[in-house]
């Protein structure tokens, strides 16, 4: 076999650079630890990933703040580092209520910087027929240990996706993700403006009013407007947050609309937001509270649950999700996001009809064809037979 000769034509400068590179590489290799890490946890990148996405976090309630008799804020600390989050994300808590193991998501009210200082805050409001919220309000005490998954959620400001001006529409305890955003803007951690339109029935129901007022006063990027639907008090807008009020306060430049509030607010905005002719990509709803069904007179249905060959018949209201009916009845179904996204609760709808709120059907096409559902975002519209996987 003939030997081929290769030659590389380089300059003197190339030679100097090559020697420099080789010297630096040697120094870098020499500075590495003599013993390589053996456990995957010891690698820096894995440590970061684990701290950002822990499987579960054990949190201890360090403080409880009462907001009249309508809501409470819970502050949590942990022995270990808290997972970081973006303003607008939520925590999903795992609770045992009687024989039921349930999960519920609550937006984080504190700023992301507070997680770095070892604290989360959520706010829970009492709601009519609230299965989990009422349990929390009546049973969680300072010193109790609770389990939460890592922060999740997409209702966060993303400069590549959203306009730099955010018009946030909040109702009731739906203020919490926007309080977090306002705090993050004020602390210099988010570079957007916030026009916050906060709808409540009366001024007594406004949460965090003094803090919102002072944020609005001291930071020109934050503007807070209160809108009361059941009161004529002076100094407030009247009615519901709709197209007219949004137009009145929204900035002249292009803006994104973020919404978090009760089901009735979403229904109202379904007809109001199109009047603004905003591109759909600039409208974001907090998914875990968006499509709640609000039948004035809810129907009651039977759900036959097939679980490993056993059949159980449970009752379900047309105003609660199929997953909520399972949880009430003590039937454990894996669930994480409660938004239809993760697919953990995927089950087979053998027969019957369910309502899936618009925009919440995140099933794969094959699942739709073969009648699999995500019970966390389906509401019964007839008696059902459901097989849990
Ligand atoms: S809990 Fe995630 S899809 Fe149902």
């Amino acid at each position: 076999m003939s030997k081929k000769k290769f030659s590389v034509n380089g300059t003197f400068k190339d030679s100097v650079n090559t020697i420099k590179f080789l010297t630096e590489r040697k120094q870098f290799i020499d500075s590495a630890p003599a013993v390589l890490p053996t456990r995957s946890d010891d690698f820096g990148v894995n440590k970061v990933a684990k701290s950002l996405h822990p499987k579960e976090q054990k949190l201890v309630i360090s403080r409880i703040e009462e907001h009249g008799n309508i809501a409470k804020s819970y502050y949590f600390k942990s022995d270990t580092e808290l997972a970081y989050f973006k303003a607008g994300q939520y925590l999903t808590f795992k609770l045992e209520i009687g024989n039921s193991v349930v999960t519920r998501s609550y937006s984080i009210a504190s700023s992301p910087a507070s997680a770095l200082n070892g604290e989360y805050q959520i706010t829970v409001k009492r709601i009519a027929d609230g299965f989990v919220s009422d349990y929390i309000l009546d049973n969680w005490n300072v010193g109790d240990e609770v389990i939460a998954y890592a922060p999740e959620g997409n209702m966060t400001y993303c400069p590549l996706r959203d306009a730099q001006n955010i018009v946030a529409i909040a109702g009731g305890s739906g203020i919490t993700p926007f309080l977090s955003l306002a705090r993050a803007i004020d602390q210099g951690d988010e570079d957007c403006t916030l026009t916050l339109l906060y709808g409540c029935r009366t001024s007594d129901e406004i949460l965090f009013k003094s803090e919102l007022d002072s944020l609005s006063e001291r930071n020109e990027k934050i503007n807070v407007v209160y809108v009361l639907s059941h009161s004529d008090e002076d100094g407030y807008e009247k009615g519901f947050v709709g197209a007219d009020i949004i137009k009145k306060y929204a900035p002249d430049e292009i803006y994104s609309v973020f919404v978090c509030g009760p089901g009735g607010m979403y229904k109202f905005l379904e007809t109001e937001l199109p009047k603004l002719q905003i591109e759909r990509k600039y409208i974001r709803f907090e998914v875990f509270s968006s499509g709640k069904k609000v039948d004035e007179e809810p129907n009651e249905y039977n759900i036959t649950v097939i679980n490993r060959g056993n059949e159980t018949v449970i009752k379900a209201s047309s105003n609660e999700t199929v997953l909520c009916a399972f949880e009430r009845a003590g039937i454990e179904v894996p669930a994480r996001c409660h938004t239809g996204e993760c697919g953990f609760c995927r089950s087979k709808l053998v027969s019957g009809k369910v309502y899936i709120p618009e925009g919440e059907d995140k099933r794969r096409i094959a699942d739709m064809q073969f009648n699999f559902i995500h019970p966390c975002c389906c509401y019964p519209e007839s008696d059902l037979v459901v097989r849990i996987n």
Side-chain angles (χ1 to χ4, degrees):
M1 202 166 78
S2 66
K3 237 182 182 179
K4 283 189 180 161
K5 279 191 179 167
F6 292 96
S7 70
V8 178
N9 295 322
T11 62
F12 176 70
K13 204 174 157 200
D14 290 336
S15 307
V16 172
N17 282 342
T18 305
I19 290 166
K20 196 170 160 232
F21 163 70
L22 290 172
T23 312
E24 281 175 0
R25 191 176 68 165
K26 185 165 182 325
Q27 283 167 355
F28 183 68
I29 291 168
D30 289 346
S31 70
V35 182
L36 283 177
T38 46
R39 286 179 52 238
S40 63
D41 285 358
D42 293 336
F43 289 102
V45 69
N46 290 347
K47 274 187 191 162
V48 173
K50 210 172 165 189
S51 72
L52 287 174
H53 309 285
K55 239 188 194 163
E56 285 185 354
Q57 303 189 88
K58 279 196 182 124
L59 307 176
V60 175
I61 301 170
S62 58
R63 189 157 59 98
I64 299 174
E65 183 188 350
E66 307 223 356
H67 304 280
N69 54 4
I70 51 172
K72 290 181 188 174
S73 282
Y74 294 88
Y75 296 81
F76 304 96
K77 298 231 180 264
S78 172
D79 289 342
T80 54
E81 223 170 277
L82 295 180
Y84 190 64
F85 67 96
K86 286 270 290 171
Q89 289 195 300
Y90 57 82
L91 285 171
T92 301
F93 291 85
K94 183 172 151 192
L95 305 95
E96 277 180 36
I97 303 179
N99 294 328
S100 309
V101 176
V102 301
T103 53
R104 278 298 176 283
S105 304
Y106 293 93
S107 291
I108 306 171
S110 43
S111 70
S114 68
L116 297 178
N117 293 325
E119 187 176 81
Y120 290 138
Q121 175 198 354
I122 63 161
T123 301
V124 180
K125 193 174 176 208
R126 199 172 286 281
I127 46 174
D129 233 4
F131 174 38
V132 177
S133 296
D134 287 2
Y135 175 84
I136 291 175
L137 290 166
D138 295 335
N139 291 280
W140 278 9
N141 294 303
V142 171
D144 287 355
E145 190 177 271
V146 298
I147 300 288
Y149 299 111
E152 290 172 285
N154 293 319
M155 210 184 59
T156 55
Y157 168 60
C158 171
L160 292 176
R161 178 192 61 197
D162 306 310
Q164 202 177 10
N165 303 296
I166 308 293
V167 172
I169 303 172
S173 59
I175 187 64
T176 48
F178 305 129
L179 176 62
S180 177
L181 182 59
R183 287 168 164 173
I185 292 170
D186 194 50
Q187 289 164 354
D189 289 332
E190 291 287 7
D191 185 21
C192 57
T193 72
L194 175 67
T195 305
L196 176 53
L197 307 174
Y198 185 10
C200 289
R201 286 154 48 92
T202 63
S203 64
D204 297 342
E205 293 187 3
I206 298 173
L207 298 171
F208 307 105
K209 185 165 186 307
S210 58
E211 182 176 355
L212 290 169
D213 286 344
S214 70
L215 283 165
S216 178
E217 262 163 42
R218 72 166 175 260
N219 194 317
E220 58 179 16
K221 288 182 171 177
I222 300 166
N223 183 25
V224 183
V225 178
Y226 305 100
V227 184
L228 303 183
S229 59
H230 289 65
S231 166
D232 285 334
E233 289 170 74
D234 287 340
Y236 301 95
E237 286 287 351
K238 316 275 181 302
F240 295 98
V241 182
D244 291 343
I245 288 183
I246 298 171
K247 273 186 211 156
K248 183 170 170 187
Y249 291 100
D252 293 335
E253 304 98 58
I254 189 161
Y255 58 89
S256 283
V257 176
F258 288 6
V259 185
C260 186
M265 172 179 260
Y266 287 76
K267 256 200 155 39
F268 179 65
L269 288 170
E270 260 171 35
T271 51
E272 289 297 298
L273 290 181
K275 295 179 191 167
L276 301 168
Q277 297 182 325
I278 302 171
E279 277 185 74
R280 185 65 187 83
K281 67 175 181 177
Y282 289 126
I283 300 175
R284 311 185 63 72
F285 290 93
E286 179 47 276
V287 276
F288 64 78
S289 57
S290 61
K292 269 187 188 153
K293 213 166 171 231
V294 275
D295 287 341
E296 302 265 301
E297 287 177 20
N299 291 313
E300 191 178 77
Y301 297 113
N302 288 327
I303 304 182
T304 305
V305 187
I306 307 170
N307 190 5
R308 295 195 178 90
N310 297 322
E311 285 191 13
T312 316
V313 180
I314 63 170
K315 299 280 177 209
S317 157
S318 60
N319 271 359
E320 69 182 356
T321 62
V322 174
L323 179 64
C324 189
F326 289 164
E327 290 173 338
R328 272 184 199 279
I331 296 169
E332 196 175 338
V333 179
R336 286 291 293 276
C337 68
H338 287 249
T339 67
E341 264 168 359
C342 72
F344 266 68
C345 66
R346 177 178 176 271
S347 304
K348 170 92 174 174
L349 179 62
V350 179
S351 68
K353 196 170 164 226
V354 292
Y355 163 76
I356 303 175
E358 205 187 322
E360 293 202 5
D361 195 351
K362 304 188 183 102
R363 294 172 296 167
R364 292 175 300 182
I365 292 171
D367 278 356
M368 291 180 189
Q369 279 170 352
F370 291 101
N371 238 10
F372 283 91
I373 56 170
H374 293 171
C376 64
C377 44
C378 289
Y379 296 78
E381 285 202 325
S382 71
D383 288 343
L384 308 176
V385 178
V386 180
R387 196 182 73 228
I388 298 172
N389 285 305

